[in-house]
Amino acid sequence: MFKTRLLSGIVLVILIAAALIPGGYVTLAAMLIISYVGVFELLRVYGIETRLIGWISYVATGLLYILLACDWAAYILPLIIAFIIILLGVYVFAYPSFSDKEVMAALFSFMYVALMLSFVYRIRVLAHGGALVVMVFVCSWVNDTLAYCAGITLGKHKMSPKLSPKKSVEGLIGGLLGSFLVGLGYGFFFNAQVEEIAHAPIVFAVAGLLGAAVSVIGDLAASAIKRNNDIKDYGTLIPGHGGVLDRFDSIIITAPIVYYCFAYLL
């Protein structure tokens, strides 16, 4: 199991690098595919992946990325409003074909997966986006690794005993501190290798800290959904890891935080 998980993890990192390094439409297409798979996985949890409201979520996901491709981000909010109105229209005119919970699940799948993941692409198209997007993975995967190491060696106090018994407060602090320091170091590297910008190390450190903090929420939220619906994994696409949502659960919620840290502070 460990060997399978390790090998698939290496392949996953290579694929992500291949999707992010070129930027542009390559990154856009990669995030669109990942978003579609993630939306499908979440819709499947609620049994609506092939029903009408599920297809509306797929269409909204495609339109979202078309707007980004055309640099029409200003129209994303109208898209969300139209999406909600159409969902409610189907809900009332097809009543009682769909329950309120299914409508909420369709909306949540788009907002939680597609919309949040799209910020990975939005970071990539910023100035020096190729260097900046690395922080998304520092906040999620580096935090996860360092939190695990700190939890194994120092962990004594359970952070969320009912939801994730293995996670500890010490692990949380270790992950946050580690992400802060790695972000700080990466900020100095950015200034030396990419472009010197005033206060860049501080901004990277803050992005690392805030991103790591919300990544914990993303990880636990994905686990809570699985527990509420009695499933082990969201899928089997990534051997040893599960589905897209199992591997990208923290990235989903981290990407918007990192984007706004850089867009407003850097």
Side-chain angles (χ1 to χ4, degrees):
M1 181 65 178
F2 174 76
K3 183 178 180 180
T4 300
R5 185 178 177 86
L6 177 62
L7 290 176
S8 63
I10 294 173
V11 172
L12 181 62
V13 169
I14 293 173
L15 290 176
I16 290 175
L20 294 179
I21 290 174
Y25 289 122
V26 174
T27 300
L28 181 79
M31 297 317 302
L32 173 61
I33 293 171
I34 293 172
S35 294
Y36 264 131
V37 175
V39 169
F40 170 80
E41 289 177 350
L42 193 52
L43 291 173
R44 184 171 56 186
V45 171
Y46 301 100
I48 55 174
E49 74 278 11
T50 59
R51 303 185 68 193
L52 177 58
I53 54 175
W55 284 104
I56 295 173
S57 296
Y58 299 142
V59 171
T61 298
L63 291 175
L64 168 66
Y65 279 90
I66 289 174
L67 292 179
L68 291 175
C70 297
D71 197 21
W72 292 343
Y75 295 100
I76 291 178
L77 181 56
L79 170 65
I80 294 172
I81 294 172
F83 175 53
I84 294 173
I85 292 172
I86 292 171
L87 276 180
L88 292 176
V90 171
Y91 174 52
V92 296
F93 289 116
Y95 189 86
S97 298
F98 301 102
S99 69
D100 56 341
K101 294 180 178 61
E102 290 172 331
V103 173
M104 296 299 179
L107 174 62
F108 180 64
S109 297
F110 169 75
M111 299 288 288
Y112 170 58
V113 182
L115 182 63
M116 303 283 269
L117 270 180
S118 71
F119 279 91
V120 174
Y121 169 75
R122 297 183 70 174
I123 295 171
R124 184 61 185 86
V125 297
L126 291 174
H128 311 302
L132 300 180
V133 76
V134 173
M135 280 302 298
V136 176
F137 301 93
V138 168
C139 294
S140 54
W141 292 352
V142 170
N143 167 66
D144 190 47
T145 301
L146 296 177
Y148 173 79
C149 294
I152 288 294
T153 56
L154 303 172
K156 293 182 179 180
H157 302 88
K158 301 297 182 182
M159 182 176 67
S160 182
K162 291 186 178 180
L163 185 56
S164 187
K166 294 183 179 180
K167 293 186 182 297
S168 65
V169 174
E170 292 80 5
L172 171 65
I173 295 173
L176 294 178
L177 180 60
S179 295
F180 176 85
L181 293 177
V182 171
L184 181 66
Y186 190 60
F188 283 111
F189 173 83
F190 180 88
N191 269 357
Q193 302 296 327
V194 182
E195 180 179 346
E196 186 169 355
I197 300 176
H199 309 304
I202 296 175
V203 174
F204 275 78
V206 170
L209 180 64
L210 295 180
V214 298
S215 77
V216 176
I217 298 174
D219 183 28
L220 292 175
S223 297
I225 293 172
K226 288 191 288 186
R227 285 182 179 271
N228 283 155
N229 293 277
D230 297 319
I231 59 173
K232 183 179 183 296
D233 293 314
Y234 286 102
T236 57
L237 182 64
I238 309 172
H241 293 271
V244 162
L245 294 182
D246 294 294
R247 184 66 276 180
F248 286 80
D249 51 4
S250 56
I251 291 175
I252 287 173
I253 199 169
T254 299
I257 300 300
V258 174
Y259 171 81
Y260 284 113
C261 279
F262 288 143
Y264 291 155
L265 302 180
L266 192 60

